[in-house]
Amino acid sequence: MKKFVNDPKDFVPEMLQGLALANPGTLKYVPEYNLIMRTDAPRDDKVSVIQGSGSGHEPAHVMVVGQGMLDAACPGDVFAAPPMDYVLETSKLLASPKGVLHLINNYTGDRMAFEMGAEMAEADGVRIGTLLVDDDVAVKDSTYTVGRRGVAGNFFVIKAVGAASEQGADLDELLRIGNKVNGVTRTMGMALTSCTPPAKGSPLFELGADEMEMGVGIHGEPGRRREKLASANAIVDELLEAVVSDLPFQSGDDVALMINGLGGTPISELYILYGRAHSELAKRGINVRRNYVGEYCTSLDMAGASLTLTKLDDEISGLLSAPAEIAIRTF
Amino acid sequence: MKKFVNDPKDFVPEMLQGLALANPGTLKYVPEYNLIMRTDAPRDDKVSVIQGSGSGHEPAHVMVVGQGMLDAACPGDVFAAPPMDYVLETSKLLASPKGVLHLINNYTGDRMAFEMGAEMAEADGVRIGTLLVDDDVAVKDSTYTVGRRGVAGNFFVIKAVGAASEQGADLDELLRIGNKVNGVTRTMGMALTSCTPPAKGSPLFELGADEMEMGVGIHGEPGRRREKLASANAIVDELLEAVVSDLPFQSGDDVALMINGLGGTPISELYILYGRAHSELAKRGINVRRNYVGEYCTSLDMAGASLTLTKLDDEISGLLSAPAEIAIRTF
């Protein structure tokens, strides 16, 4: 296994510890619940926005806790939903008079943990709202899902509700905004390679040297089909057609375009994908007004990428351009 | 080859085209010279800061062109120095009355191209200053180097001279600042895997499934030795000892700490390395005042990391915290 790891069972706690050490003024790590939270949360004047999911998708979600994004994230172990009591305790710690918003990518395990956690938190007097993200057009129902999977498009939901919550929006308003953004967001991804969970120590699935998995899930779940490796342009064209035709996006639409790396793909290659996607969208009369190229929701060390489009209107554009301050910084 | 690529000879131009399409207001792509430049450069009131190197190290250097960082970058092909005429034409296009600063990582090919380019630009009336970066403590002299190699530590030099140039510093002052930062910056890296240049289509060197290369160069050049895979903590401890003992950094020092991924390593693992490095520095009485965790200077899709320390004083801290606006953004 070619990874930086000590004892695999410490993989997630050591990552969270490193994250907290790197952000002493703004982030707090609560080891009992795998919890990363803002040091200034909860605030009485703001709904607390929290997300939990399996680990292994970093920066999602622990590295996007911060002003204008999440108030906390309570991840499970690698590719495992957070335990229900992590959700409960996180909700109680983050309880605000304005309530707590649970943001959940649509996987059966995550939904179960959050549904039970929400029920118990509500019994303890915490007001909870729940928002599901299901942007992945690759497959309807899948290995770990009833309905579509939630993948990298959830960043647009996080950013929009994070911004609105800073502006004082109440829980109902955040649910309206989050559902609206999810409703105009579509993603599809593909894998060039498998990925290796630290505790397993070997690739999660096998993919031949001349093969790729089109429509792969972020836990290596099967996609639409396995096929011969194609050129960067052919890959983009297929992802784009799947995403554009699904909403559908139409000539004259303004969009945000995200090219998301799955963990093992260098940013040089992501810009090659971006260039093709931008140009092909222009040919369709679809205008890229905002773009995101980098790693947002990964699958450990998987080489691969996903493409996300979100349809913009004035409200969504305003929320996406609001200030945010998270752990991942550039110079 | 598991890469997003069309015709390998278009790898660099297509990446640069994508980068420019993603940044229409701020970056301009000049295909004749592989040139990425700020749309507002050159400015009469500012020294132009330019860097060239081989491609394959992204985000270095084309993706850090922007306000407070580089005014332009003229990369060569993957792992190849820019042709001398790219350097010349870039210098002429970026000519400012205050002069042009050439920032060069210490590799023989890059130095030759920039020395000849500078000479010819000066013959054309452009005032040139030259700054060498050689932060890599792994080896003295190497495959492509007389003296130490320049690697990820060059970001601290870019950031410092970029900030000072925005504040109106003249060429001599930028040379002083750049040499000062380079003088207190030390790096060492290591590889878990090889990397695959698009035109070659196969790994640049072979590394066994149970091996790592300690002190590797960013073009896969040999380091100090090849050895059995070690734990994340043992790897950090060796990199840290090499870097700390070289300057040396001492108890009471304030430092910036960078954990740089080499292209194929997920950010989850980089934070595990960060946590160990931060804690071990604390034990030595060395205070991490600023930190950088992510990809800054990569080797295509190599799994691996480097560790950089820069010793801070008030001047350097001020320059590192100055505003900057580059292509790689977060939410």
Side-chain angles (χ1 to χ4, degrees):
Chain A
M1 171 170 52
K2 290 297 187 94
K3 298 186 99 62
F4 293 111
V5 58
N6 295 301
D7 184 333
K9 76 171 166 33
D10 296 328
F11 188 83
V12 173
E14 288 182 352
M15 167 183 76
L16 300 179
Q17 178 71 27
L19 181 62
L21 283 171
N23 298 276
T26 53
L27 296 185
K28 190 168 119 184
Y29 170 42
V30 183
E32 299 90 309
Y33 312 116
N34 262 11
L35 172 63
I36 292 286
M37 61 185 284
R38 291 169 60 169
T39 49
D40 63 349
R43 272 165 43 196
D44 284 356
D45 61 340
K46 181 184 177 306
V47 174
S48 292
V49 182
I50 70 178
Q51 174 128 26
S53 73
S55 291
H57 305 301
E58 293 71 28
H61 293 98
V62 291
M63 295 170 195
V64 293
V65 175
Q67 186 242 316
M69 297 286 281
L70 298 177
D71 292 279
C74 57
D77 209 339
V78 171
F79 292 178
M84 180 267 290
D85 58 315
Y86 288 17
V87 176
L88 170 61
E89 297 300 332
T90 300
S91 302
K92 284 161 67 176
L93 268 171
L94 274 290
S96 150
K98 296 196 74 167
V100 173
L101 181 68
H102 285 178
L103 255 174
I104 312 165
N105 283 358
N106 185 37
Y107 295 97
T108 304
D110 292 320
R111 288 183 67 166
M112 281 179 60
F114 271 89
E115 273 168 33
M116 290 191 291
E119 211 169 284
M120 296 182 69
E122 281 171 335
D124 279 346
V126 184
R127 192 168 159 228
I128 306 280
T130 295
L131 200 53
L132 273 182
V133 178
D134 60 349
D135 55 314
D136 188 347
V137 306
V139 291
K140 170 105 187 95
D141 300 339
S142 73
T143 318
Y144 308 119
T145 326
V146 177
R148 289 180 164 184
R149 303 175 296 214
V151 289
N154 80 6
F155 269 80
F156 292 109
V157 179
I158 294 172
K159 173 64 183 165
V161 301
S165 72
E166 296 285 351
Q167 295 161 11
D170 66 18
L171 200 46
D172 289 339
E173 177 70 350
L174 294 184
L175 290 168
R176 180 191 68 77
I177 290 169
N179 283 317
K180 175 180 168 181
V181 174
N182 183 56
V184 294
T185 298
R186 296 291 187 276
T187 300
M188 193 158 98
M190 56 77 60
L192 295 173
T193 71
S194 185
C195 60
T196 298
K200 185 169 189 293
S202 60
L204 197 55
F205 61 100
E206 293 300 327
L207 199 54
D210 60 344
E211 287 181 323
M212 61 182 190
E213 178 80 27
M214 186 59 66
V216 73
I218 57 172
H219 314 90
E221 311 97 293
R224 291 186 172 184
R225 68 182 185 287
R226 189 164 293 193
E227 60 181 316
K228 290 280 174 204
L229 270 176
S231 71
N233 286 352
I235 290 168
V236 168
D237 292 353
E238 179 167 349
L239 295 178
L240 204 58
E241 175 56 29
V243 163
V244 167
S245 64
D246 190 88
L247 188 62
F249 295 88
Q250 294 175 315
S251 180
D253 282 352
D254 290 335
V255 298
L257 166 60
M258 172 188 281
I259 302 291
N260 168 59
L262 293 181
T265 289
I267 196 163
S268 49
E269 298 177 37
L270 299 181
Y271 273 102
I272 290 175
L273 303 181
Y274 179 82
R276 177 69 174 192
H278 182 114
S279 302
E280 291 300 307
L281 284 166
K283 284 187 200 160
R284 293 169 185 253
I286 298 171
N287 313 302
V288 179
R289 300 297 186 194
R290 301 183 65 81
N291 65 78
Y292 303 84
V293 183
E295 292 180 344
Y296 296 90
C297 186
T298 61
S299 303
L300 295 166
D301 52 352
M302 183 183 285
S306 65
L307 183 156
T308 300
L309 287 181
T310 294
K311 186 171 167 179
L312 299 175
D313 61 12
D314 287 347
E315 181 181 41
I316 297 176
S317 292
L319 293 168
L320 294 185
S321 61
E325 190 65 52
I326 57 173
I328 302 165
R329 63 181 73 92
T330 52
F331 279 87
Chain B
M1 170 170 53
K2 290 296 188 92
K3 298 185 99 61
F4 293 112
V5 59
N6 295 300
D7 185 333
K9 77 171 164 35
D10 297 328
F11 188 82
V12 173
E14 288 182 351
M15 167 183 74
L16 300 179
Q17 178 70 28
L19 181 62
L21 283 170
N23 298 276
T26 52
L27 296 186
K28 190 168 118 184
Y29 169 43
V30 183
E32 299 89 310
Y33 311 117
N34 261 12
L35 172 63
I36 292 286
M37 62 185 285
R38 290 170 60 170
T39 48
D40 64 349
R43 273 166 41 196
D44 284 356
D45 62 340
K46 180 185 178 305
V47 174
S48 292
V49 182
I50 71 177
Q51 174 128 23
S53 73
S55 291
H57 306 301
E58 293 70 28
H61 293 97
V62 291
M63 296 170 195
V64 293
V65 174
Q67 185 242 315
M69 296 286 280
L70 297 177
D71 292 280
C74 57
D77 209 339
V78 171
F79 292 178
M84 180 267 289
D85 57 315
Y86 288 17
V87 176
L88 170 62
E89 297 301 332
T90 300
S91 302
K92 284 161 67 177
L93 269 170
L94 274 290
S96 150
K98 296 196 73 167
V100 173
L101 181 67
H102 284 178
L103 255 174
I104 313 164
N105 283 358
N106 185 36
Y107 295 96
T108 304
D110 292 318
R111 288 183 66 165
M112 282 179 58
F114 271 89
E115 273 167 32
M116 290 192 290
E119 211 168 284
M120 297 181 70
E122 280 171 335
D124 280 346
V126 184
R127 194 172 157 226
I128 306 280
T130 294
L131 200 54
L132 274 182
V133 178
D134 61 349
D135 55 312
D136 188 348
V137 306
V139 291
K140 170 105 186 94
D141 300 338
S142 73
T143 318
Y144 308 120
T145 326
V146 176
R148 289 180 165 184
R149 302 175 295 214
V151 289
N154 80 5
F155 269 79
F156 293 109
V157 179
I158 294 172
K159 173 64 183 167
V161 299
S165 73
E166 296 285 352
Q167 295 161 10
D170 65 18
L171 200 46
D172 289 340
E173 176 70 350
L174 294 185
L175 290 168
R176 180 190 68 78
I177 290 169
N179 283 316
K180 174 180 168 181
V181 174
N182 183 56
V184 294
T185 298
R186 296 292 187 275
T187 300
M188 194 159 98
M190 56 78 60
L192 295 173
T193 71
S194 185
C195 59
T196 298
K200 186 170 188 291
S202 60
L204 197 56
F205 62 99
E206 293 300 326
L207 199 53
D210 60 345
E211 285 181 324
M212 61 182 189
E213 178 79 27
M214 186 57 68
V216 73
I218 57 173
H219 313 91
E221 310 98 291
R224 291 185 172 184
R225 67 181 186 287
R226 189 164 293 193
E227 60 182 315
K228 290 280 173 205
L229 270 176
S231 70
N233 287 351
I235 291 168
V236 169
D237 293 353
E238 179 166 350
L239 295 178
L240 204 58
E241 174 57 30
V243 163
V244 167
S245 64
D246 191 88
L247 188 62
F249 295 88
Q250 294 175 312
S251 180
D253 282 353
D254 290 335
V255 299
L257 166 60
M258 173 188 282
I259 301 291
N260 168 59
L262 293 181
T265 289
I267 195 163
S268 49
E269 298 177 37
L270 299 181
Y271 273 101
I272 291 175
L273 303 181
Y274 179 82
R276 177 70 174 192
H278 183 115
S279 302
E280 291 299 307
L281 284 166
K283 285 187 200 160
R284 293 170 184 253
I286 298 171
N287 314 302
V288 180
R289 300 297 186 193
R290 300 184 65 81
N291 64 78
Y292 303 84
V293 183
E295 291 180 344
Y296 296 91
C297 185
T298 61
S299 302
L300 295 166
D301 53 352
M302 183 184 286
S306 66
L307 183 155
T308 300
L309 287 180
T310 293
K311 187 171 166 178
L312 299 175
D313 62 12
D314 287 347
E315 181 181 40
I316 297 177
S317 292
L319 292 168
L320 293 185
S321 61
E325 190 65 52
I326 57 174
I328 301 166
R329 63 182 72 93
T330 53
F331 276 86

